[in-house]
Amino acid sequence: MFNHGAYPEVESSYDEEGNYYAYTTYDVPAGSPLRMSYGDPTNPSFLFARYGFLDESTEATFCKIIPEHINKDMEELGYAHNRMLFYKDGNVSEEVWDILLFQHVSSTKIGDKRALMEAHRSGDYTTKQMLHEKYYENTSAMLLEHLESFLEQLEKLSSKAGERQRDLGDHPRLPLILAHNEFVKQTFLAVRMQNFGY
């Protein structure tokens, strides 16, 4: 069994008879660890929920923007857990901004919604950028509202968990859950600092 690595040295495959093959992706020095990817390295929440560990080496996490309805246009713009990212350095993926813009113009400016989708489909970066600039005040307010709301939820969860931490026999994974929440919190705080200065 290989450990997980955000930058794995090993990939695997199966042949037609079901035999498993593991091979290195580059020359690995003797004595170095061999790791494979257990899943999307940009989503430590998935790795935590599925395998029970926190990969703090990941550079990003899913932004936790979950619309009520995800349509084909949103998927085309990049709505996916491995693309809707907040980075530990405070950057926000282009897909997050595109989805925020799409949500805003869908409810207010149908003509600009069409223009956004046409620009996206044709690779017209200039038109897309013009729309982002036109609605930046709105989309940045949406982003800030999401950040504040999610940080508040994390704080409540962490406070509640802190009250239960004294009884780790009943909740043995609680320290790991708190570490995960802290990782997400620090990433969200970095995004808020980078984009809003506090």
Side-chain angles (χ1 to χ4, degrees):
M1 179 177 217
F2 296 101
N3 284 330
H4 167 76
Y7 305 101
E9 295 80 17
V10 174
E11 289 186 9
S12 61
S13 65
Y14 293 89
D15 66 17
E16 298 81 34
E17 286 116 35
N19 296 310
Y20 176 81
Y21 294 92
Y23 53 93
T24 59
T25 55
Y26 59 90
D27 288 335
V28 179
S32 298
L34 296 177
R35 296 167 295 203
M36 66 185 302
S37 175
Y38 286 8
D40 179 9
T42 62
N43 192 356
S45 299
F46 169 79
L47 296 172
F48 170 68
R50 180 82 181 255
Y51 300 107
F53 71 90
L54 177 61
D55 180 7
E56 294 186 59
S57 69
T58 185
E59 296 175 15
T61 189
F62 173 56
C63 69
K64 318 294 190 218
I65 294 174
I66 306 173
E68 280 188 41
H69 304 287
I70 300 166
N71 62 35
K72 292 199 181 300
D73 285 343
M74 294 170 90
E75 289 174 348
E76 192 175 330
L77 286 169
Y79 188 89
H81 290 172
N82 65 340
R83 295 177 67 191
M84 296 282 293
L85 302 176
F86 287 166
Y87 291 89
K88 288 194 311 189
D89 66 3
N91 284 314
V92 174
S93 71
E94 179 181 333
E95 291 82 359
V96 170
W97 289 112
D98 285 351
I99 293 300
L100 291 172
L101 177 59
F102 178 85
Q103 287 179 311
H104 179 69
V105 295
S106 291
S107 63
T108 59
K109 305 285 185 187
I110 299 304
D112 282 344
K113 173 187 167 187
R114 274 190 236 108
L116 171 64
M117 293 310 300
E118 288 172 14
H120 181 76
R121 288 177 182 128
S122 67
D124 181 357
Y125 179 80
T126 303
T127 298
K128 203 171 170 184
Q129 190 60 31
M130 183 267 309
L131 289 166
H132 276 291
E133 289 172 10
K134 179 178 179 180
Y135 294 109
Y136 178 74
E137 186 176 318
N138 306 99
T139 56
S140 63
M142 293 167 72
L143 177 63
L144 182 58
E145 180 181 336
H146 172 69
L147 288 165
E148 296 290 351
S149 172
F150 200 82
L151 286 166
E152 183 179 319
Q153 289 176 32
L154 274 177
E155 189 60 40
K156 286 179 184 177
L157 287 171
S158 294
S159 294
K160 188 175 182 179
E163 295 167 8
R164 296 182 177 188
Q165 194 165 8
R166 60 188 169 277
D167 191 7
L168 291 179
D170 288 341
H171 305 285
R173 289 179 43 140
L174 195 53
L176 188 58
I177 292 168
L178 289 170
H180 169 267
N181 289 355
E182 186 62 23
F183 174 83
V184 172
K185 176 183 172 183
Q186 291 306 315
T187 303
F188 274 56
L189 288 172
V191 168
R192 188 176 70 183
M193 178 59 77
Q194 175 81 7
N195 289 276
F196 303 101
Y198 74 98

